[in-house]
Amino acid sequence: MRISQLIFCALFAVGLLCPALAEHPDRPIKMVFGYPPGGAPDILGRPLTQQMVQGLGQPIVIEYKPGASDTIAAEYLSRQPADGYTLHLKNTGPLTIFPHLRHLTYKPLNFTPIGIAPSVGLVLVVLSDSPAADLNTLIQLAKRDPASWSHGRSGVGGVGHLVGEKLTTAASLEITHIPYKGGGPVMNALLGGHVPFLIASLGSAANYIKSGLVRALAVSSAQRSSTLPGIPTIAESGFPSFGVTN
């Protein structure tokens, strides 16, 4: 599977050959997020659960199981009863990438996918006072002093990590990747000056961009984002074959 084909999926992991959620659930439903509050799953998942509550007539209790790039949540889900009452909003890394990289205590094919959430690009951001006014300037600065440059991302082996590696390889940059537990912690790292730039989900970065705390330099999708129409794509910034969505 090409990285450009990876999408952010709403996967309701309820066990192998498990029936879909009961037509008329008779007790609360549990929704598990694999990242800390403040990241894309949280920002996307809470409005989604609110609409589900209206349609299902039962409360949905959110549980956070962050760590290990969402695999802790996947392992937790694999131990839950296959009754349709435990759902999980998951990205595709633990299902399509990690099985090729490490031994897992769960089997991805034991999860039942129910639906796909929106597919969006990621965005490269720096602090608003950064000397990097655009992607090309950032690359030039990083090449002059690679030891002082790094990029942050929420976890290892996910789509965001691969986007960062794809970009740094294309730009011939040798800088360090620093993983964090989720979009919220890595954004805090940027705001605190611990990393000079990061590749974030649009959902977790949009409010910071609009408030002026951070500056967006480029988006990873093949086309510009309707959320940030004034921000060029990485392809427009000198890497014409680049196009990745999450």
Side-chain angles (χ1 to χ4, degrees), residues 93-132:
L95 304 180
T96 63
I97 301 173
F98 297 159
H100 303 284
L101 302 178
R102 66 182 73 163
H103 172 73
L104 300 173
T105 59
Y106 61 87
K107 295 181 179 180
L109 294 181
N110 282 6
F111 298 150
T112 302
I114 303 299
I116 299 176
S119 176
V120 298
L122 293 95
V123 59
L124 192 154
V125 295
V126 296
L127 284 175
S128 57
D129 60 356
S130 169

Side-chain angles (χ1 to χ4, degrees), residues 143-241:
K143 284 186 175 181
R144 290 175 192 167
D145 187 14
S148 64
W149 283 78
S150 61
H151 67 99
R153 185 52 203 165
S154 56
V156 176
V159 178
H161 181 193
L162 296 185
V163 168
E165 295 301 325
K166 180 179 175 72
L167 176 61
T168 53
T169 299
S172 300
L173 287 177
E174 296 184 4
I175 58 177
T176 304
H177 165 252
I178 303 178
Y180 290 81
K181 287 186 176 181
V186 72
M187 182 60 73
N188 288 335
L190 176 69
L191 296 174
H194 302 296
V195 292
F197 77 96
L198 63 90
I199 297 173
S201 65
L202 279 172
S204 61
N207 287 337
Y208 295 97
I209 295 169
K210 291 177 180 178
S211 69
L213 289 174
V214 304
R215 181 193 309 136
L217 302 186
V219 294
S220 69
S221 51
Q223 290 80 35
R224 293 194 180 196
S225 166
S226 58
T227 304
L228 302 170
I231 305 304
T233 65
I234 293 176
E236 291 177 292
S237 303
F239 302 90
S241 62

